[in-house]
Amino acid sequence: DIQLTQSPSTLSASVGDRVSITCRASQSISGWLAWYQQKPGKAPKLLIYKASTLKTGVPSRFSGSGSGTEFTLTISSLQPDDFATYYCQQYNSYFTFGPGTKVDI
Amino acid sequence: QVQLQESGPGLVKPSETLSLTCNVSGGSISTYYWSWIRQPPGKGLEWIGYIYSSGNTYYNPSLKSRVIISVDTSKNQFSLKLTAVTAVDTAVYYCARGGSFLDVWGKGTTVTVSS
């Protein structure tokens, strides 16, 4: 099984901050990684797939990078709507989700 | 655009079978993969399995012995059955489109396992 870890687990930030979340895989997953945003009581929303491809309609302040075992989600200038929990997901071998990173004030 | 809606009982007794359906509207169920994911209260996401519109299935190895996912293309819907449920199966269950990344999600339905 491929395991994913995320760091940090919680991130306190302010509007306008540049924030980064790291996702590490227990073995190489090439670029088969997606990022999701989830707000309380809502379904997750896809932000990025194939490590760095932004889903159509997702603001350009979101970006993804990485390959192999280490990946990063970056929000260039945090907006009020971005306070949420972020999950990474690998799809190299079946699916696994990371444990999540909560971004709060 | 494609929309997904989960339906099914919100309460299931221990040892019984959880049955949910996901209705796909605004597009055809054909030529796509369709997934089930769950999220226990206050916890992270767990993939359950996915099915191709032809009927090929892929299950989470940790749940494989208890899961059946099926598709009904004539009704544009797919379904989840989880047998022998216990309290640890209490969760919000989501259906989603995709067999890799998941680009469209239903709103989720809460299922509680309790007598």
Side-chain angles (χ1 to χ4, degrees):
Chain A
D1 289 10
I2 298 175
Q3 307 301 319
L4 298 179
T5 59
Q6 288 183 235
S7 59
S9 55
T10 304
L11 192 161
S12 294
S14 301
V15 173
D17 284 353
R18 179 183 179 90
V19 301
S20 292
I21 299 167
T22 297
C23 177
R24 291 186 174 88
S26 58
Q27 64 189 76
S28 178
I29 57 171
S30 187
W32 306 119
L33 188 98
W35 289 97
Y36 300 86
Q37 177 194 68
Q38 186 179 34
K39 296 182 180 179
K42 301 294 187 181
K45 290 184 179 179
L46 176 67
L47 299 174
I48 287 168
Y49 59 95
K50 213 161 68 175
S52 61
T53 302
L54 203 64
K55 182 187 175 183
T56 301
V58 173
S60 59
R61 62 181 180 272
F62 291 93
S63 64
S65 64
S67 66
T69 62
E70 188 158 329
F71 301 84
T72 302
L73 172 70
T74 299
I75 309 172
S76 60
S77 178
L78 201 64
Q79 298 302 301
D81 192 47
D82 300 339
F83 290 96
T85 299
Y86 293 84
Y87 293 93
C88 57
Q89 176 231 338
Q90 69 82 19
Y91 49 96
N92 179 75
S93 175
Y94 294 113
F95 289 1
T96 313
F97 291 93
T101 294
K102 184 177 181 180
V103 176
D104 62 16
I105 300 173
Chain B
Q1 69 278 21
V2 174
Q3 293 185 316
L4 307 182
Q5 178 67 59
E6 304 89 349
S7 61
L11 180 65
V12 181
K13 290 182 169 56
S15 81
E16 295 190 345
T17 296
L18 178 160
S19 296
L20 297 174
T21 296
C22 182
N23 187 65
V24 179
S25 59
S28 174
I29 201 169
S30 298
T31 71
Y32 284 99
Y33 286 91
W34 304 92
S35 295
W36 287 99
I37 303 97
R38 68 181 183 178
Q39 186 170 36
K43 296 189 178 181
L45 301 162
E46 180 181 31
W47 169 64
I48 299 170
Y50 58 80
I51 188 166
Y52 190 60
S53 53
S54 64
N56 291 340
T57 53
Y58 306 84
Y59 299 138
N60 185 327
S62 69
L63 297 170
K64 185 176 182 179
S65 63
R66 298 195 293 131
V67 173
I68 298 174
I69 297 175
S70 58
V71 64
D72 187 336
T73 54
S74 67
K75 294 182 179 179
N76 229 39
Q77 61 186 205
F78 62 106
S79 299
L80 168 69
K81 290 188 186 300
L82 182 65
T83 63
V85 297
T86 69
V88 299
D89 296 310
T90 293
V92 176
Y93 285 76
Y94 296 101
C95 59
R97 186 175 74 176
S100 53
F101 55 89
L102 303 165
D103 64 344
V104 182
W105 291 65
K107 293 182 179 180
T109 187
T110 298
V111 178
T112 301
V113 178
S114 175
S115 55

